[in-house]
Amino acid sequence: MMQRIYDWIDERVDITPLWRDIADHEVPEHVNPAHHFSAFVYCFGGLTFFVTVIQVLSGMFLTMYYVPDIENAWKSVYYLQTEVAHGQIVRGMHHWGASVVIVMLFLHTLRVFFQGAYKKPRELNWMVGVMIFFVMLGLGLTGYLLPWDNKAYFATQVTLEIAEGVPFIGEATKTLLAGDAEIVGAQTLTRFFAIHVFFLPAALFLLMGIHFIMIRKQGISGPL
Amino acid sequence: MSEKKQQVSRRQFLNYTLTGVGGFMAAGMLAPMVRFAIDPALQPQSKGDFKAVAQVDEITNEPQRFDWTIDQTDAWYESEVTKSAWVYKQEDGSILALSPVCKHLGCVVSWQGNSDYPEQFFCPCHDGRYYKSGENVEGTPPPVGLDIYEHKIEDGTLYLGKAKPREGA
Ligand code: HEM
Ligand code: FES
């Protein structure tokens, strides 16, 4: 059945080369953990991607209940976690995933660093990777405020003070992030929400796209 | 048996296992999220308690609008919302309380809402009309008559419950 649907479409629009180009390529022996167990270090990039997919999916579902408003944000998180079926699991996935994704990203970076995989011709992909790292940190930072509890509030207060410490542009940066020169409040929450849910994920998808296209073009780096 | 050619090739076996394991992981990930998303559809319907709405001796043979408030819990938001009914005494002396919600697409109807149609309920959204009994006027948009509130009378006070669709509607 599935085969026939596939054939029907393939006959008309020739989709086979499309996915073959993405999915069908050899895994060299030196990155295959079945040959050398130590090759598991090559999995961290894929694991980062896997956890990112979980973050995106669980985040999309959380926004079905969450509201970015100082009166209701905490209440909506409390409601979705205590009253909605599996709310604790879905929030838990997003909450713990936010830390796991950074750990995976860091391990992936360590592998690339200690194998020297960032060297010519892969310098550009190292730079893109560093940008992904900052986007990820930004997601963690902006997401942390969203539950609008005490921990969230004071963590953001501290972050904003750190931003303010930057010479010359510090004060303007802080105001832009917080939406107000003095108050950490209504406008901070809506800004962080917009950045967390629209701006940074868009940047993340773009950067990941570039990252993966470059990997396909250049191939994985050779054995040590 | 042992001489027979293998029925499942190595490639097929790997395909099946990988699809199986992958599908299991995807399902494990998606199941809680889907259950989370469809939760509102699985909540029990509110029963609708009876609320005191009017004194019986205020009710005449002419439909009058009575408003009352109920406490509504909308997830994390609690508020008072106003409900209304068109109430009158029928020929036989029994009380009829009609929901003002138009059965076409949910606007609000009023008794004699259009001076061209006295003795009828009128809906301004698409000129829907109903007779005094709440039955819809054929040829206007509403397909059925107005819902009827459950009611009871205690110590001369009218209590209304939930508005129910008519029989056969
Ligand atoms: C890969 C990236 C992401 C990371 C690292 C991340 C990180 C975080 C963090 C640390 C929190 C606070 C969680 C808590 O304290 O419970 C959070 C909350 C939230 N995130 Fe994300 N997030 C990511 C992607 C997304 C995406 C793509 C969306 C939506 C499209 C999203 C929507 C939300 C919402 C609605 C909340 C508030 C609910 C809550 O606090 O439980 N996130 N995020
Ligand atoms: S909603 Fe009343 S006539 Fe259309």
Side-chain angles (χ1 to χ4, degrees):
Chain A
M1 179 62 184
M2 292 307 280
Q3 189 62 42
R4 289 187 52 206
I5 296 175
Y6 178 87
D7 291 341
W8 191 89
I9 299 175
D10 196 41
E11 198 186 332
R12 275 145 253 259
V13 284
D14 197 22
I15 51 175
T16 300
L18 284 179
W19 70 260
R20 287 234 164 218
D21 194 50
I22 294 167
D24 206 12
H25 51 103
E26 300 234 333
V27 177
E29 194 186 303
H30 74 282
V31 306
N32 187 342
H35 285 272
H36 312 278
F37 182 68
S38 60
F40 72 82
V41 292
Y42 287 96
C43 291
F44 291 130
L47 287 171
T48 311
F49 180 68
F50 178 66
V51 184
T52 305
V53 170
I54 295 185
Q55 287 310 98
V56 172
L57 283 174
S58 57
M60 280 164 58
F61 280 93
L62 283 176
T63 47
M64 283 188 173
Y65 294 94
Y66 177 80
V67 272
D69 164 65
I70 51 171
E71 293 270 358
N72 293 302
W74 187 86
K75 288 187 211 164
S76 69
V77 174
Y78 185 79
Y79 176 82
L80 76 83
Q81 181 169 330
T82 55
E83 301 289 328
V84 182
H86 291 2
Q88 208 161 18
I89 297 178
V90 179
R91 185 174 178 218
M93 287 163 87
H94 203 72
H95 181 101
W96 297 107
S99 299
V100 174
V101 81
I102 305 239
V103 172
M104 290 302 154
L105 195 48
F106 195 68
L107 292 172
H108 174 62
T109 312
L110 285 182
R111 184 226 110 197
V112 173
F113 181 76
F114 282 111
Q115 290 191 335
Y118 55 84
K119 290 178 192 170
K120 191 182 175 191
R122 292 178 238 281
E123 306 96 317
L124 271 177
N125 228 3
W126 172 266
M127 294 181 210
V128 171
V130 172
M131 286 194 260
I132 292 180
F133 197 77
F134 282 120
V135 167
M136 227 31 131
L137 291 181
L139 278 162
L141 192 99
T142 49
Y144 207 78
L145 177 68
L146 302 184
W148 200 246
D149 51 15
N150 265 295
K151 191 172 66 160
Y153 180 86
F154 285 105
T156 304
Q157 177 71 35
V158 168
T159 314
L160 291 171
E161 299 269 325
I162 293 173
E164 201 179 9
V166 176
F168 307 115
I169 56 164
E171 231 162 286
T173 310
K174 185 201 159 186
T175 308
L176 275 179
L177 279 173
D180 187 283
E182 265 128 52
I183 308 167
V184 175
Q187 301 194 81
T188 322
L189 186 54
T190 48
R191 269 172 188 256
F192 273 46
F193 180 74
I195 295 171
H196 184 80
V197 167
F198 295 108
F199 291 81
L200 289 180
L204 184 69
F205 297 156
L206 185 76
L207 290 170
M208 286 196 313
I210 299 172
H211 203 67
F212 298 151
I213 289 169
M214 280 205 264
I215 294 168
R216 280 299 273 128
K217 264 227 121 70
Q218 302 181 316
I220 197 88
S221 55
L224 293 177
Chain B
M1 199 61 177
S2 54
E3 281 102 310
K4 251 178 120 187
K5 212 169 167 282
Q6 267 188 310
Q7 294 298 299
V8 179
S9 71
R10 194 183 167 86
R11 169 174 291 262
Q12 262 176 332
F13 174 76
L14 278 172
N15 265 340
Y16 292 157
T17 347
L18 286 177
T19 316
V21 173
F24 189 76
M25 281 172 68
M29 236 168 82
L30 283 169
M33 301 193 221
V34 170
R35 179 61 184 83
F36 178 75
I38 64 172
D39 197 47
L42 301 175
Q43 292 300 319
Q45 286 238 317
S46 71
K47 288 193 300 291
D49 301 331
F50 279 90
K51 284 280 187 177
V53 168
Q55 295 303 309
V56 174
D57 52 21
E58 299 173 81
I59 300 168
T60 63
N61 292 325
E62 188 73 3
Q64 292 177 80
R65 186 175 144 168
F66 290 100
D67 296 336
W68 70 102
T69 56
I70 57 162
D71 296 319
Q72 181 178 278
T73 307
D74 175 11
W76 54 87
Y77 182 66
E78 281 169 22
S79 61
E80 283 194 340
V81 292
T82 305
K83 312 256 284 175
S84 348
W86 289 97
V87 187
Y88 69 97
K89 259 197 200 99
Q90 299 176 99
E91 310 273 88
D92 64 357
S94 66
I95 282 174
L96 184 66
L98 295 169
S99 157
V101 179
C102 182
K103 296 299 277 185
H104 179 223
L105 294 169
C107 291
V108 179
V109 306
S110 340
W111 177 244
Q112 297 177 336
N114 183 323
S115 51
D116 290 345
Y117 304 105
E119 303 301 301
Q120 284 188 2
F121 291 98
F122 180 76
C123 177
C125 287
H126 318 95
D127 296 353
R129 287 184 278 131
Y130 303 82
Y131 300 111
K132 187 175 176 183
S133 64
E135 294 292 343
N136 55 308
V137 175
E138 285 292 329
T140 70
V144 291
L146 293 170
D147 289 355
I148 300 171
Y149 278 104
E150 297 176 314
H151 76 274
K152 63 181 185 198
I153 294 164
E154 269 166 27
D155 303 329
T157 304
L158 173 72
Y159 292 82
L160 295 186
K162 207 174 161 70
K164 294 243 163 93
R166 293 164 182 254
E167 302 280 317

